[in-house]
Amino acid sequence: MVDLNFVLRVDPDVPLRETIITLAELVGEGKIGGVALCEMELSLFNTDPLTNGITDTCFELNIPIYESVVSSMLTGQYKSHDDFLERDIQKAMPRYQPENFAVNMKSVQELEKLAIKKRCTPAQLALGWALTLSKQKHMPVIIPIPGSVRPEMIKENSTPVQLSQEEMNEIDIVLAQFEVAGDRYGARAMRLVNG
């Protein structure tokens, strides 16, 4: 038996719901221990899963969502496209191209203000948002995957931040004011992540 089957990429020719239901049937048959979704981005830069049925289906079928919820822009390390090193994968991603980076920094700056008010880092705010979201009614378990490239990131991301409903509402207001510019990946790869 396989303990946990991750859906890392989606088949663009098969509805995601159909894939999940089929895997849930395999859990019921005892062939796999559980199902998890990854790469269906759920972050402060993409809240689509909250409205496109992904979180509803995961809640219904008791499937957790594993996701990296902290955009590199929220770490405070990058203030412009020029801050990325040549080897940084973000340098080639649409969301981080100069014209999109400048637009997206506007929402990041507002989120940074909320983090200062909360006395935490923007990355901790993003992780706290996901963990608080996970505890809300009719939400699946959301397991954030924090950055762990450097020891200081591990320390920062292991400090839990709990957000009140009022703070969650403040984040919602910021997110509603700004539309994220640029996709997470190029067009070809995007077909394989959000279905």
Side-chain angles (χ1 to χ4, degrees):
M1 178 177 88
V2 174
D3 287 332
L4 186 62
N5 187 307
F6 273 86
V7 178
L8 297 175
R9 299 287 189 270
V10 296
D11 182 338
D13 298 324
V14 178
L16 180 59
R17 182 174 177 77
E18 187 176 318
T19 299
I20 293 171
I21 288 171
T22 300
L23 290 170
E25 289 170 359
L26 293 172
V27 171
E29 295 170 12
K31 294 181 179 173
I32 58 177
V35 179
L37 297 179
C38 190
E39 281 289 1
M40 287 66 173
E41 183 187 8
L42 175 59
S43 72
L44 293 175
F45 271 5
N46 183 32
T47 59
D48 289 348
L50 302 176
T51 57
N52 67 10
I54 290 177
T55 54
D56 293 337
T57 302
C58 290
F59 173 77
E60 175 189 336
L61 300 174
N62 196 28
I63 298 171
I65 297 176
Y66 293 76
E67 186 53 72
S68 175
V69 297
V70 180
S71 159
S72 56
M73 289 179 76
L74 284 168
T75 64
Q77 182 179 354
Y78 305 101
K79 298 297 184 187
S80 79
H81 180 264
D82 296 334
D83 292 339
F84 292 112
L85 302 175
E86 283 304 319
R87 69 174 184 262
D88 288 337
I89 191 170
Q90 293 95 329
K91 197 163 183 80
M93 294 178 176
R95 188 175 290 168
Y96 302 104
Q97 294 309 298
E99 65 279 6
N100 293 333
F101 194 99
V103 171
N104 294 331
M105 273 307 290
K106 293 175 185 174
S107 64
V108 169
Q109 289 164 348
E110 292 303 311
L111 292 167
E112 286 175 342
K113 290 177 187 175
L114 295 179
I116 290 168
K117 184 177 170 184
K118 183 68 178 172
R119 295 190 174 132
C120 67
T121 67
Q124 289 169 330
L125 184 78
L127 290 167
W129 173 81
L131 292 171
T132 303
L133 197 60
S134 180
K135 295 174 185 171
Q136 292 184 349
K137 192 174 183 182
H138 301 296
M139 286 298 295
V141 172
I142 300 167
I143 303 168
I145 305 171
S148 57
V149 175
R150 298 182 315 277
E152 58 270 22
M153 287 176 71
I154 295 171
K155 184 176 180 182
E156 175 185 0
N157 293 332
S158 65
T159 305
V161 172
Q162 295 186 3
L163 301 174
S164 67
Q165 188 56 53
E166 182 181 343
E167 290 164 332
M168 292 291 282
N169 293 343
E170 289 180 47
I171 291 172
D172 287 343
I173 290 168
V174 169
L175 298 181
Q177 290 174 344
F178 301 95
E179 186 171 337
V180 175
D183 284 330
R184 184 180 187 190
Y185 300 122
R188 185 171 173 217
M190 283 302 294
R191 291 186 67 228
L192 304 176
V193 294
N194 284 340

